[in-house]
Amino acid sequence: MLLDSDAESDVAYELCQVVGRAILPYRSSGDFGTAFFFQGGDDPVGESLLTASELVGGSGGELGLRASVTEPAGVAPAVISEAEIVPGWARFAGDGVAVLPTAGLHRYAGDGGWRWRVQPVPAGIAAGPEVIARLTADASSAFVLAHGVREDGSRPLEVAIERVVRDGDAVLITTELPPGYVGAPVFIVQAEPTGEVSPYCLGLVLPGDGAHPVATFDRIRAVLPATPGDI
């Protein structure tokens, strides 16, 4: 669905309110990206952190923390080294996805005397095959929530309003995104048969040149059961 500019601004604002605290800045080996919390079901064990597989696996990976995603104030560190988190990332390079079960993140927080205060992207808005099938070569409005990279090195939460299309089996964001956006979640809205308009998390941004493939949630869901659980 292609929205007018006012409607796009309204959707972008609402997404920031609903899932803004799902989003974290990520950095590894000089590459900047974004990761986000996803809640795969009612069981807390189903919570994962997701990003693009090309970002992880190198040395020096770390997650940045905003004050709004932890409590109490002033206790959590500014960054967490991924080397301190067990279990670590599971990489699925063929799908472009990396998954970090969050059990280790919650243990790390508890040991440090603080708690996560996040808003995971819920399973209920993860796009299923029927949502992806409705996409066509005609552009639809897409909303990317990411931590960009400013000239001063800061990583603010941003929303890029872009266009997404389906080209055969591939789903693409049609423009090149700024540094820091790889791994970020991509949202769309679609009209339902009832006439209502619903938001969906389409998937996550993969690296690209001039355009960006999207690892859609049918691919992401396929690898989630293969990741380590809360052991």
Side-chain angles (χ1 to χ4, degrees):
M1 174 180 285
L2 186 61
L3 305 176
D4 63 38
S5 59
D6 288 343
E8 287 180 334
S9 295
D10 290 343
V11 171
Y13 175 81
E14 290 299 324
L15 286 171
C16 286
Q17 303 310 302
V18 175
V19 294
R21 295 203 312 271
I23 320 298
L24 295 178
Y26 182 76
R27 183 186 65 81
S28 179
S29 301
D31 292 327
F32 294 94
T34 296
F36 66 99
F37 284 84
F38 173 68
Q39 181 63 55
D42 294 333
D43 189 339
V45 174
E47 185 185 72
S48 302
L49 195 68
L50 306 177
T51 194
S53 61
E54 288 196 18
L55 291 175
V56 307
S59 60
E62 61 183 26
L63 292 169
L65 301 183
R66 308 195 316 272
S68 61
V69 302
T70 69
E71 58 185 8
V75 178
V79 297
I80 300 175
S81 168
E82 67 178 26
E84 300 179 82
I85 306 302
V86 179
W89 290 102
R91 296 179 70 246
F92 300 90
D95 297 291
V97 178
V99 182
L100 178 69
T102 59
L105 291 174
H106 288 289
R107 282 194 291 266
Y108 180 89
D111 291 344
W114 55 277
R115 299 178 299 278
W116 291 95
R117 182 175 173 263
V118 295
Q119 302 163 296
V121 173
I125 68 168
E130 72 286 352
V131 172
I132 297 163
R134 290 180 204 144
L135 296 172
T136 69
D138 295 327
S140 295
S141 299
F143 307 85
V144 185
L145 272 65
H147 283 275
V149 184
R150 298 283 174 87
E151 291 185 0
D152 62 2
S154 61
R155 303 287 312 274
L157 180 64
E158 303 172 347
V159 182
I161 300 175
E162 302 292 348
R163 299 291 179 261
V164 66
V165 299
R166 183 161 60 90
D167 182 7
D169 292 333
V171 175
L172 302 169
I173 294 173
T174 58
T175 56
E176 188 163 356
L177 293 167
Y181 277 63
V182 169
V186 182
F187 297 87
I188 58 172
V189 295
Q190 286 189 349
E192 303 297 335
T194 60
E196 296 181 352
V197 175
S198 299
Y200 291 98
C201 186
L202 188 58
L204 61 83
V205 176
L206 297 179
D209 183 11
H212 289 270
V214 176
T216 52
F217 252 104
D218 53 348
R219 294 163 61 181
I220 295 171
R221 285 186 181 280
V223 303
L224 286 176
T227 61
D230 187 2
I231 300 174

